[in-house]
Amino acid sequence: MSKAEWRSRITAERRSQVTDERAREALALAAAAARLPGEVVCAYVPFGTEPGSTSLLDQLLDQGKRVLLPIVPDEPGPLGWAAYEGPSSLGPGRLRGLLEPTGRRLGPDTLGTADLVLIPALAVDDEGVRLGRGAGYYDRSLSFAAPGAALIAVVRDAELVRALPAEPHDVRMTGVLTPDQGAAPRPVIPG
């Protein structure tokens, strides 16, 4: 399938998911994220049908981690960042339905301070290829990540697939975080 076909399929599957299942998965993701190492975490606020909730962000804050969230730029380019300091620190973002931190804005290079980067995805394959929404914000941003930082895509378990179409600019994930499996490395090591 093409990237567009994968996006269409997964988006339809997410829309059909019942609210109770989304809530269960959000709690499981928060619990799994709490076990991930890292002092500075770049994360995101799930919106629409993305798995997770702000409970994951609150869990990270409760552990004393510095949590940074993306700011979508006015023009296509890398994401900016700002600190998350709880639900009251969020406001409407540039994209409809997206919440962003309202605090002091930090540049794209702030991503380089993170040990752990949690990244939204529609799917991830066995080799770490991530399928995003197609706007390219993360592909343009991840070049700012520190060498050795964990790049973890957050997906539902059903969104782990054998192979996705890849392009040269696609940044490979070092792992995934799912509700049922928790954290798992990428690429998959046969065994």
Side-chain angles (χ1 to χ4, degrees):
M1 285 193 292
S2 70
K3 285 186 175 187
E5 290 168 325
W6 274 109
R7 285 184 183 106
S8 178
R9 175 181 160 190
I10 293 166
T11 301
E13 289 171 358
R14 283 184 174 183
R15 272 187 249 149
S16 69
Q17 188 183 24
V18 295
T19 303
D20 289 347
E21 183 64 11
R22 280 191 190 142
R24 183 200 67 78
E25 287 183 352
L27 290 174
L29 285 169
R35 294 187 292 274
L36 293 172
E39 296 302 314
V40 178
V41 181
C42 284
Y44 64 96
V45 179
F47 81 105
T49 59
E50 290 178 337
S53 70
T54 55
S55 63
L56 185 151
L57 304 173
D58 294 333
Q59 179 77 28
L60 295 171
L61 271 186
D62 289 347
Q63 292 182 315
K65 297 177 189 284
R66 182 172 189 224
V67 180
L68 301 168
L69 300 177
I71 305 287
V72 176
D74 293 334
E75 300 293 326
L79 297 162
W81 299 89
Y84 174 70
E85 297 172 349
S88 65
S89 70
L90 297 175
R94 190 178 77 76
L95 302 177
R96 184 177 175 186
L98 180 65
L99 294 175
E100 294 179 341
T102 57
R104 185 171 69 90
R105 295 183 180 233
L106 307 168
D109 59 339
T110 301
L111 184 63
T113 67
D115 317 287
L116 172 63
V117 184
L118 298 176
I119 304 159
L122 290 171
V124 178
D125 76 9
D126 288 350
E127 295 300 315
V129 174
R130 170 188 161 271
L131 179 69
R133 291 179 176 261
Y137 290 112
Y138 278 92
D139 287 322
R140 287 188 290 269
S141 299
L142 291 174
S143 64
F144 291 95
L151 304 179
I152 308 294
V154 181
V155 293
R156 298 175 63 229
D157 289 86
E159 297 162 355
L160 296 175
V161 300
R162 302 296 290 160
L164 290 167
E167 297 176 41
H169 68 268
D170 291 334
V171 176
R172 303 286 173 117
M173 301 293 98
T174 62
V176 294
L177 184 68
T178 74
D180 294 334
Q181 294 182 35
R186 289 295 179 269
V188 172
I189 300 167

